[in-house]
Amino acid sequence: MPPRMPRGEAPAYSLRRVVETGLRTLVTAILVNIAISLVGKFIFDVPFLLPRSGAMQLEPLPIFNVIAATVVGVLGATAVFAIIAHFSKNPGKIFGIVATVVLIVTFLGPRTLPVGVGSVTKAWLMIMHVAAWASITIPLVKKSREF
């Protein structure tokens, strides 16, 4: 049984462990999203045609963009978790709620793409969001008891 903390004080946590877990989730999330995009493209013929910034024409989604978006999401989530863990007695629960709300908000991105972007592409993008969310949230919440 963990020692009791005085009221109003958050438990000490290891920033090093948070960063290590964040880096592991980064690798996992990148691999999962690359796999999903490749399966979608080559097995299910998902076109992944999206507008380039400022252009009206649709172009294939570069794998670099999948990786870059995943990196930004994981780094942001890890930073948010570290902040929550610093101030909270129960960082796993709070982070799980915050991460789920952010996941729901990220669904607006694919849903607000222009009409020319197919619904299949939008659905696969949302699947990638869920996969990234799971790759990030589950390890951080599970490990939160050890930080």
Side-chain angles (χ1 to χ4, degrees):
M1 184 173 217
R4 298 190 128 230
M5 297 298 301
R7 279 212 162 150
E9 287 187 36
Y13 78 104
S14 168
L15 180 60
R16 187 176 134 258
R17 285 193 198 150
V18 172
V19 171
E20 287 172 356
T21 303
L23 291 174
R24 281 194 297 277
T25 63
L26 176 64
V27 172
T28 303
I30 288 171
L31 293 176
V32 166
N33 272 341
I34 288 173
I36 290 170
S37 68
L38 293 176
V39 166
K41 185 175 185 173
F42 294 112
I43 295 178
F44 293 100
D45 284 332
V46 177
F48 287 113
L49 294 174
L50 300 172
R52 296 289 275 174
S53 56
M56 294 304 290
Q57 67 189 41
L58 300 178
E59 296 180 15
L61 175 65
I63 201 75
F64 172 78
N65 290 20
V66 172
I67 294 168
T70 304
V71 168
V72 169
V74 172
L75 295 179
T78 303
V80 168
F81 181 86
I83 292 167
I84 291 170
H86 182 73
F87 293 105
S88 173
K89 293 181 201 174
N90 192 354
K93 181 178 181 180
I94 293 171
F95 178 75
I97 293 168
V98 170
T100 303
V101 169
V102 170
L103 170 67
I104 293 166
V105 171
T106 67
F107 285 159
L108 294 175
R111 294 186 52 81
T112 59
L113 288 169
V115 176
V117 177
S119 57
V120 172
T121 296
K122 292 177 182 181
W124 277 80
L125 290 172
M126 287 193 264
I127 290 169
M128 291 166 66
H129 286 208
V130 172
W133 171 86
S135 298
I136 298 163
T137 305
I138 293 170
L140 285 172
V141 168
K142 276 186 162 183
K143 288 280 192 178
S144 69
R145 295 177 199 104
E146 300 172 17
F147 294 135

